[in-house]
Amino acid sequence: MFTGIIEELGEITAVDWADDAARVTVRGPIAVSDAKHGDSISVSGVCLTVIDQDAESFTADVMAETLAMSTLDGVQPGRRVNLERAAQVGDRLGGHIVQGHIDGTATVLAITDGSAWRVVRLSLDPEHAPLVARKGSIAIDGVSLTVSEVGGGLDDGWFEVSLIPETLEATTLGDRVVGDRVNIETDILARHVERMLGLGYGARESVLPSSLSEPIPVPATERSAS
C-alpha cells in the first residue's frame, strides 16, 4: 500500500523487452536505500516488485497486463518517473490509500496556470467516470490528488486537478503537456461501492447478515437516563 506522497524523482535507465513483458531498471537512491528482494515500489503509480537492486537502482519485471493498462507500454531509458516506497505500519497517511493497481490512463486535455497553482484537465473514460467525484481522491502517476472538478458525459467526460508549486517541482506532473498520457488509479472505496451496486446490494434493505442488522438492545439503566 502507498499514500501517493512521492519520495523522489527516479529515471528509467534500462529496458529489456520480451514478447509480452519487459524488465526495467530504475535509478532511485532513496527508493533502494532500504529495499530488498520482493519489496514493492510505486513507479509513477504502478506497483512493481524488486527482483534485484544495488546502491543506486532496482530492477523489476512488468507483465503484459501492466503494460496494457499503463504508460509503461512504450517506456524507454531516460524517462523520469515518480517513486514511492510502500507505506510502513505507523506512518502518517499524508495522501490517501493507493494500491498501485492502475485503472488505466488519461490524456491531458488542457493546462491553465494561475498565480501560484496549475489546473490540469484530463480525459475520463466511460468505465472510470462513475469512480471519479468532485472533492474525491485520485492518484495520477502515483501522486495523491484531490479532484477539483468533473464534467462532460460518459462519452466526453473529464476531470480537473489543481497542482501546487511543490507538486509541480517534486513530481513529473510539472513536465506534463497537452496530449501526454498519465496513469490513473481511482479511489478504492469507489471501486467497492461500484461492485456492490453492480451486484444489486443498493436495492436491498441491508447487506449485513440478519444477526448483525438487528437493533442492538439498550440496557434499561441507559434507557432511563436518556
Side-chain angles (χ1 to χ4, degrees), residues 38-63:
D39 281 354
S40 296
I41 296 177
S42 172
V43 179
S44 285
V46 181
C47 179
L48 297 181
T49 301
V50 175
I51 61 171
D52 194 12
Q53 83 272 358
D54 56 29
E56 294 285 323
S57 305
F58 68 93
T59 299
D61 286 325
V62 186
M63 61 183 179

Side-chain angles (χ1 to χ4, degrees), residues 115-120 143-145 161-171 173-174:
S115 59
W117 65 88
R118 177 175 296 170
V119 177
V120 180
V143 183
S144 173
L145 296 168
V161 292
S162 299
L163 309 179
I164 61 175
E166 172 65 18
T167 303
L168 295 172
E169 295 174 7
T171 76
L173 297 185

Side-chain angles (χ1 to χ4, degrees), residues 52-217:
D52 194 12
Q53 83 272 358
D54 56 29
E56 294 285 323
S57 305
F58 68 93
T59 299
D61 286 325
V62 186
M63 61 183 179
E65 172 69 9
T66 303
L67 292 174
M69 294 289 291
S70 75
T71 58
L72 291 178
D73 57 352
V75 69
Q76 296 293 333
R79 181 189 292 185
R80 296 206 306 170
V81 289
N82 300 318
L83 299 179
E84 180 191 355
R85 291 170 291 182
Q88 294 180 316
V89 176
D91 277 356
R92 291 184 178 88
L93 194 62
H96 70 284
I97 296 175
V98 179
Q99 295 180 295
H101 302 162
I102 300 301
D103 288 299
T105 63
T107 301
V108 177
L109 300 177
I111 297 175
T112 304
D113 286 319
S115 59
W117 65 88
R118 177 175 296 170
V119 177
V120 180
R121 178 174 292 190
L122 302 108
S123 63
L124 192 56
D125 289 345
E127 62 267 32
H128 303 148
L131 305 176
V132 179
R134 184 173 181 271
K135 302 302 181 182
S137 296
I138 194 166
I140 300 178
D141 278 349
V143 183
S144 173
L145 296 168
T146 299
V147 177
S148 55
E149 193 59 81
V150 293
L154 282 178
D155 296 327
D156 60 351
W158 54 265
F159 70 98
E160 291 180 343
V161 292
S162 299
L163 309 179
I164 61 175
E166 172 65 18
T167 303
L168 295 172
E169 295 174 7
T171 76
T172 60
L173 297 185
D175 299 331
R176 298 284 72 83
V177 298
V178 172
D180 281 353
R181 291 167 61 233
V182 295
N183 298 317
I184 64 168
E185 179 184 335
T186 57
D187 186 66
I188 184 174
L189 297 180
R191 293 176 180 174
H192 283 291
V193 170
E194 181 188 46
R195 174 62 174 165
M196 292 173 67
L197 291 175
L199 292 174
Y201 280 110
R204 304 182 186 182
E205 293 183 0
S206 173
V207 300
L208 298 175
S210 58
S211 60
L212 296 179
S213 59
E214 295 174 356
I216 299 176

